[in-house]
Amino acid sequence: SYELTQPPSMSVSPGQTARITCSGDALPNQYAYWYQQKTGQAPVLMIYLDSERPSGIPERFSGSTSGTTATLTINGVQAEDEAAYYCQSTDSSGTYVMFGGGTKLTVL
Amino acid sequence: QVQLKQWGAGLLKPSETLSLTCAVYGGSFSSLYWTWIRQSPGEGLEWIGEINHIGNTNYNPSLKSRVTISVDTSKKQFSLRLTSMTAADTGVYYCVRGAMPVPGTFGGFDSWGQGTLVTVSS
């Protein structure tokens, strides 16, 4: 079955850049989306259509794709960015929604 | 500003049926996909399925045999029914709006309900 693969965890110091990757065979043909989920809260859409940022999302969050890998980049990480981040896309047919397993970002 | 508010029973016994309903306040109900997503304790997100305003559905293949999603456009509500519940179905269930910034182009899940904790236990 089709999967999206993310690293389970990563840590970064405040002010540094975090790059969270998401790998999937259908990503060259399907858009990637990214969500932030803080403990006890519902997820929040951070990036859509690979690289678009919804209104209200800080400019330090950006998205990109290259081949089978989508990347969420957080420039100048802040303590408030500590959360789980999930990538999302669809299968090659575009019918079925898939989520990556999530990456827990720790701000040291 | 769209708001999604959901309700339904949160404690079920094995083999019982889960029923949740979600009401949409504000924004359009048409030309969008209305979705259910769940999250097991300490785990990731799992897409259950979706429905549009005219009743077209797509379901997660792993749950398809047990899931029904329905819509009441007049009330701006949509519902989830999941049969034969087991402990593995325990988790938080969210109703979610699938945005469409351009007709025909999915724009991500941009509005989420408050979530319902569903526990399956004998």
Side-chain angles (χ1 to χ4, degrees), chain A residues 22-105:
Chain A
C22 173
S23 298
D25 288 342
L27 287 177
N29 301 307
Q30 302 295 337
Y31 287 113
Y33 306 79
W34 290 92
Y35 302 86
Q36 177 194 70
Q37 186 179 32
K38 296 183 178 180
T39 303
Q41 299 182 17
V44 174
L45 178 65
M46 306 300 284
I47 296 289
Y48 67 99
L49 296 176
D50 289 345
S51 59
E52 299 295 317
R53 196 172 47 248
S55 60
I57 302 303
E59 292 184 6
R60 65 179 181 275
F61 290 89
S62 64
S64 62
T65 62
S66 179
T68 60
T69 300
T71 302
L72 173 69
T73 300
I74 311 172
N75 289 307
V77 168
Q78 301 181 5
E80 67 197 50
D81 299 332
E82 184 164 288
Y85 291 86
Y86 295 91
C87 64
Q88 177 252 306
S89 187
T90 61
D91 68 330
S92 56
S93 73
T95 302
Y96 303 113
V97 171
M98 312 292 299
F99 286 97
T103 299
K104 171 62 177 172
L105 176 68

Side-chain angles (χ1 to χ4, degrees), chain B:
Chain B
Q1 180 76 4
V2 64
Q3 282 192 325
L4 281 69
K5 295 190 176 182
Q6 59 185 99
W7 64 90
L11 181 59
L12 297 171
K13 291 181 168 54
S15 80
E16 290 187 334
T17 296
L18 171 68
S19 292
L20 298 175
T21 298
C22 182
V24 179
Y25 300 95
S28 173
F29 195 72
S30 302
S31 303
L32 293 163
Y33 267 89
W34 303 97
T35 303
W36 291 95
I37 292 169
R38 71 179 183 179
Q39 186 169 33
S40 300
E43 300 293 329
L45 302 167
E46 181 178 28
W47 176 74
I48 298 171
E50 63 189 14
I51 191 166
N52 68 3
H53 70 289
I54 58 172
N56 295 324
T57 56
N58 289 308
Y59 298 133
N60 186 324
S62 68
L63 299 170
K64 186 174 183 177
S65 64
R66 299 194 290 133
V67 174
T68 302
I69 297 176
S70 57
V71 66
D72 186 336
T73 303
S74 66
K75 294 182 178 179
K76 296 180 70 175
Q77 294 177 1
F78 62 107
S79 299
L80 169 69
R81 188 170 179 268
L82 183 63
T83 63
S84 303
M85 294 285 283
T86 71
D89 295 310
T90 292
V92 177
Y93 286 70
Y94 295 99
C95 61
V96 187
R97 184 180 81 162
M100 205 160 288
V102 175
T105 300
F106 175 66
F109 298 118
D110 69 341
S111 295
W112 296 64
Q114 78 275 21
T116 299
L117 176 59
V118 175
T119 301
V120 182
S121 176
S122 55

